[in-house]
Amino acid sequence: VTASAQADGFEPRLTSPDRSNPYYNSELNVYSQTGYGMPNCVAYVFGRIYEITGEEPLITRGSAGEWWSINKKNGYYAYGQEPKLGAVACWSNHVAVVEKIEGNTVTASQSHWGGRYFDTTVFESGTDRFGQKFYGYIYMCEDYFEKQEQENTEEIQTFYQNKGIDTVFQLNPGNHFVQGIERTIAGIQWLLSK
């Protein structure tokens, strides 16, 4: 597992957000607005996702133990067992945000209901912790990262076109590993047609 595919432009949060940061206080954070602000893991995660993407997260209610099922039931975001930057790690009664991945070791930022305002934790992906069952990861930043990747690729295409180099930009469903053979064949056929 590597984080390099999403690392471009991602700024990990390894220090506490300022208490005046609107993503974490009652200015923009629905948990803070309803009396469940930080220190609170769901208020922190809501704010952190909002901070990364610039868009209000779709999960706007529920305790940490409910986020996994709320997301699955409503189909808000993709989810799975692989850690990704900006993903929400979910346990039976806690959530945290993946900030760094090294092999199977994950560094996440978090807050604790009635406890610490902010800290980071390091864990082996997929492990139960503090007597809590690990459910998986919710990929709440995935659309944001894909949009950012598309914009970066379009900038590269424009750069080469401005230099007079013939280029084609094509969006394909899935990731780089979906239909790899077909994509390679299409690329070779395009090159041979020139």
Side-chain angles (χ1 to χ4, degrees), residues 36-130:
Y36 294 98
M38 291 175 60
N40 179 349
C41 63
V42 291
Y44 172 77
V45 168
F46 181 91
R48 178 64 177 131
I49 299 303
Y50 207 156
E51 181 180 48
I52 293 169
T53 66
E55 295 180 6
E56 182 177 9
L58 297 175
I59 302 174
T60 59
R61 60 183 170 76
S63 68
E66 297 171 309
W67 269 42
W68 183 257
S69 60
I70 287 171
N71 182 65
K72 285 179 74 173
K73 179 181 176 186
N74 292 289
Y76 290 143
Y77 303 101
Y79 55 91
Q81 298 301 308
E82 178 185 347
K84 296 180 181 182
L85 293 177
V88 177
C90 297
W91 288 271
S92 52
N93 200 29
H94 187 62
V95 289
V97 178
V98 175
E99 302 289 350
K100 188 173 160 187
I101 305 165
E102 295 179 80
N104 201 39
T105 302
V106 175
T107 301
S109 60
Q110 61 188 359
S111 180
H112 305 272
W113 172 253
R116 289 190 198 157
Y117 185 79
F118 173 89
D119 66 3
T120 59
T121 185
V122 177
F123 61 94
E124 291 302 309
S125 182
T127 56
D128 295 348
R129 304 188 69 221
F130 312 114

Side-chain angles (χ1 to χ4, degrees), residues 138-149:
I138 302 174
Y139 307 127
M140 296 175 75
C141 298
E142 194 166 72
D143 288 345
Y144 169 76
F145 287 132
E146 288 175 1
K147 181 180 175 189
Q148 199 174 39
E149 184 177 342

